[in-house]
Amino acid sequence: MSGQSLLVPGEITPVRSVPGNIRRPEYVGKPAPTPYTGPEVQDADTIERMRIAGRIAAQAMEEAAKHIAPGVTTDQLDKVAHDFMVDHGAYPSTLGYRGFPKSLCTSLNEVICHGIPDSTVLRDGDIVNLDVTAYINGVHGDNNATYLCGDVDEESRLLVERTRESLNRAIKAVKPGRQINVIGRVIESYAKRFGYGVVRDFTGHGINTSFHSGLIIPHYDSPHATTVMQPGMTFTIEPMLTLGTHEYDLWEDGWTVVTKDRKRTAQFEHTLVVTETGAEILTLP
């Protein structure tokens, strides 16, 4: 594995502005969102609006990813995604969510998730996860992917490739009538082939007019995930695989989650809707 030094928090720049004509999610300016009480199965109009939100989120992530290179700061990546979403009439869902100060999450190397963009400079050999969610027309679209920065060691490169494959296999397992735990079963069984850890305490989630609806999508085979998938149900799958333990520590910022053994980790995510025969990915560029 790469012998690079471990990450330390950088300097966070001021909050970026969003034009006043762009609709905000209800939680902006509040300590927490209002709990969602609506259905997990969405109507055709909501799903169509989620396709739009998902497409913008995917395009914003792609645009930011084009700028991944040694010497670029994670704050610069945040600006690219922020500007793209705002230019397309969307609000960056993470901005102001429970006080999160930026418009996407940038999670490097040993960071499992929720890394805050700051003055951290990307280095040759880093792996970089971008997690982008867009809010438009009253709904959210959420996706993430892990990218290679420069010349990345083979162990890390394989981790990234196999994490992407675990998501692809999980999506294929989505079928109406099946329990949610089939998703985690597929991911965990694949990850175990390579001795990878599967993060348990951060999961996929229901998503619609709510950023996180309360529906939980574990990435391991949980006996409690017995909810039966139905056509029209919308949620994310976002496996986080590690080169070591699935256990984690939390930085003092209250957001940045790092592997307890500080070994590398990768993640991929799509927002999906369950169809009559399987799943449609809503976060396609």
Side-chain angles (χ1 to χ4, degrees), residues 254-270:
W255 282 105
T256 307
V257 181
V258 295
T259 54
K260 188 170 278 292
D261 56 13
R262 303 303 190 265
K263 291 185 177 179
R264 287 188 167 189
T265 175
Q267 182 183 19
F268 285 84
E269 173 186 23
H270 276 305

Side-chain angles (χ1 to χ4, degrees), residues 80-94:
V80 173
H82 176 94
D83 290 349
F84 185 94
M85 285 185 273
V86 166
D87 289 347
H88 288 77
Y91 186 91
S93 300
T94 60

Side-chain angles (χ1 to χ4, degrees), residues 169-221:
R169 289 175 180 235
I171 291 170
K172 289 176 183 174
V174 172
K175 295 280 190 301
R178 289 181 172 177
Q179 292 184 345
I180 290 288
N181 57 15
V182 71
I183 294 168
R185 189 176 309 135
V186 166
I187 292 167
E188 187 173 40
S189 63
Y190 180 71
K192 277 183 173 178
R193 287 195 207 174
F194 312 104
Y196 295 155
V198 181
V199 173
R200 290 171 166 249
D201 292 325
F202 300 90
T203 67
H205 52 89
I207 184 170
N208 38 65
T209 57
S210 171
F211 193 173
H212 300 90
S213 72
L215 177 66
I216 301 299
I217 312 294
H219 302 119
Y220 64 98
D221 187 3

Side-chain angles (χ1 to χ4, degrees), residues 96-281:
Y97 179 78
R98 297 184 182 270
F100 192 84
K102 290 293 171 181
S103 298
L104 81 166
C105 299
T106 49
S107 301
L108 279 57
N109 301 339
E110 70 270 19
V111 179
I112 295 171
C113 57
H114 304 159
I116 301 174
D118 59 18
S119 61
T120 297
V121 176
L122 300 183
R123 302 164 298 181
D124 186 59
D126 284 341
I127 59 174
V128 185
N129 180 273
L130 304 181
D131 193 338
V132 181
T133 310
Y135 177 79
I136 189 169
N137 299 325
V139 297
H140 300 267
D142 185 5
N143 67 164
N144 78 55
T146 303
Y147 300 90
L148 309 181
C149 181
D151 185 17
V152 175
D153 68 276
E154 184 177 16
E155 185 180 36
S156 299
R157 195 167 43 75
L158 286 172
L159 173 69
V160 171
E161 289 177 9
R162 290 163 176 168
T163 305
R164 182 192 292 112
E165 175 63 15
S166 76
L167 173 60
N168 293 339
R169 289 175 180 235
I171 291 170
K172 289 176 183 174
V174 172
K175 295 280 190 301
R178 289 181 172 177
Q179 292 184 345
I180 290 288
N181 57 15
V182 71
I183 294 168
R185 189 176 309 135
V186 166
I187 292 167
E188 187 173 40
S189 63
Y190 180 71
K192 277 183 173 178
R193 287 195 207 174
F194 312 104
Y196 295 155
V198 181
V199 173
R200 290 171 166 249
D201 292 325
F202 300 90
T203 67
H205 52 89
I207 184 170
N208 38 65
T209 57
S210 171
F211 193 173
H212 300 90
S213 72
L215 177 66
I216 301 299
I217 312 294
H219 302 119
Y220 64 98
D221 187 3
S222 169
H224 307 294
T226 56
T227 300
V228 174
M229 292 182 267
Q230 304 173 57
M233 190 177 282
T234 50
F235 53 81
T236 72
I237 304 176
E238 45 189 299
M240 293 150 262
L241 305 187
T242 71
L243 289 175
T245 182
H246 68 268
E247 296 180 339
Y248 67 93
D249 291 323
L250 185 65
W251 278 7
E252 287 185 7
D253 62 23
W255 282 105
T256 307
V257 181
V258 295
T259 54
K260 188 170 278 292
D261 56 13
R262 303 303 190 265
K263 291 185 177 179
R264 287 188 167 189
T265 175
Q267 182 183 19
F268 285 84
E269 173 186 23
H270 276 305
T271 296
L272 312 168
V273 60
V274 181
T275 67
E276 296 292 340
T277 57
E280 176 192 345
I281 300 172

